[in-house]
Amino acid sequence: MAKSMARQKRSPQVDTEDHVTERVLEAAAWAEQHWRLVTFGGLVLVAVVAAGFYYKDYREKLVERASVRFQELQITAQSADLETIRGELGLFIDQYPGTEYAKQARVVLAELELRRDSLSAAIQALEPVADLGSGDPLAFTAAGMIAATYEQGGDPGQAVEWYGRIDTNARFEYQRHFALGEQARIYTAQGRYEEAIAIYESLVGEIDDLSLIHISEPTR
């Protein structure tokens, strides 16, 4: 009786193993009948993996070259004339797109354009960097420069809008406070005193709240 029960308990395992063996044999038979498709699929997989490694290696080498070249440009900028550096920076941006060094080059190029009073060219150089949603610190620098450039060009409305973007997307409180302070300053210059006062009162309230929180913290 015990032997019979033991056989009954082992039978599901035997059935399962037989089932797996049967499926393996079926898969092998399918592969044999469709060997061209299997071979092609394997080649595609190998090609995709190889392309991934190639792209990673390409990006790493691109960043390395960009780093060396950007350092060379910084040295050249100390002695070369303005037009030469502008051209070199533009070429650099085209050669190394998507790298952090290309972003830095755009900021430098914008500064040079501002020295030439070419405000629209400066904004055009900065806009691709000013992606505030990325959280990149350089994006906030670019956005602040764009706002200041619009104000310099006599368009305070656009300046206020860009400072508003900084306020909305700021990662740190000092970035928000800077943007709000600049908005209030522009409103004051425009005679929009009520709006300026509202911002200043809001900033003072935030500072007071932070002070109270700090004071209430237990000493350790």
Side-chain angles (χ1 to χ4, degrees):
M1 182 68 176
K3 291 182 179 180
S4 174
M5 293 177 64
R7 284 196 297 271
Q8 290 177 1
K9 290 180 180 179
R10 285 197 298 268
S11 61
Q13 183 179 358
V14 173
D15 292 342
T16 301
E17 291 174 354
D18 290 345
H19 181 68
V20 171
T21 302
E22 182 182 350
R23 295 300 299 273
V24 171
L25 291 173
E26 289 177 356
W30 183 91
E32 184 177 358
Q33 294 176 4
H34 302 82
W35 65 271
R36 292 181 183 274
L37 181 60
V38 173
T39 302
F40 177 75
L43 290 175
V44 170
L45 178 61
V46 170
V48 170
V49 173
F53 280 113
Y54 171 79
Y55 180 75
K56 182 176 181 294
D57 181 66
Y58 164 77
R59 289 295 301 178
E60 290 175 352
K61 291 180 178 179
L62 183 71
V63 172
E64 290 177 3
R65 291 196 300 270
S67 174
V68 173
R69 181 58 183 145
F70 190 65
Q71 292 178 30
E72 293 174 350
L73 283 176
Q74 289 177 312
I75 295 172
T76 304
Q78 298 175 8
S79 56
D81 62 275
L82 182 61
E83 290 302 318
T84 299
I85 294 301
R86 285 180 63 249
E88 291 289 339
L89 286 171
L91 182 61
F92 177 87
I93 291 167
D94 292 337
Q95 288 178 332
Y96 303 101
T99 65
E100 288 299 315
Y101 297 101
K103 294 179 182 180
Q104 294 179 39
R106 283 185 172 278
V107 173
V108 175
L109 178 60
E111 291 173 346
L112 296 180
E113 297 293 0
L114 290 174
R115 286 167 55 183
R116 299 172 62 247
D117 290 328
S118 184
L119 305 186
S120 59
I123 292 172
Q124 184 177 3
L126 290 167
E127 283 180 337
V129 187
D131 180 11
L132 296 172
S134 65
D136 185 350
L138 198 61
F140 290 92
T141 299
M145 290 178 66
I146 290 174
T149 302
Y150 272 119
E151 185 180 4
Q152 181 179 339
D155 192 345
Q158 283 289 341
V160 168
E161 181 181 332
W162 273 95
Y163 285 128
R165 296 184 189 182
I166 296 175
D167 172 37
T168 301
N169 295 279
R171 295 180 60 189
F172 304 103
E173 286 302 307
Y174 78 87
Q175 293 170 332
R176 285 190 58 251
H177 293 165
F178 163 76
L180 290 172
E182 289 299 292
Q183 283 185 323
R185 179 184 58 77
I186 293 174
Y187 287 149
T188 301
Q190 292 179 315
R192 298 164 62 178
Y193 301 117
E194 292 184 2
E195 292 168 280
I197 290 172
I199 292 176
Y200 284 131
E201 287 179 344
S202 174
L203 287 172
V204 171
E206 288 186 21
I207 293 172
D208 288 342
D209 289 342
L210 289 174
S211 299
L212 290 173
I213 291 172
H214 182 70
I215 292 171
S216 64
E217 290 180 348
T219 57
R220 297 181 181 178

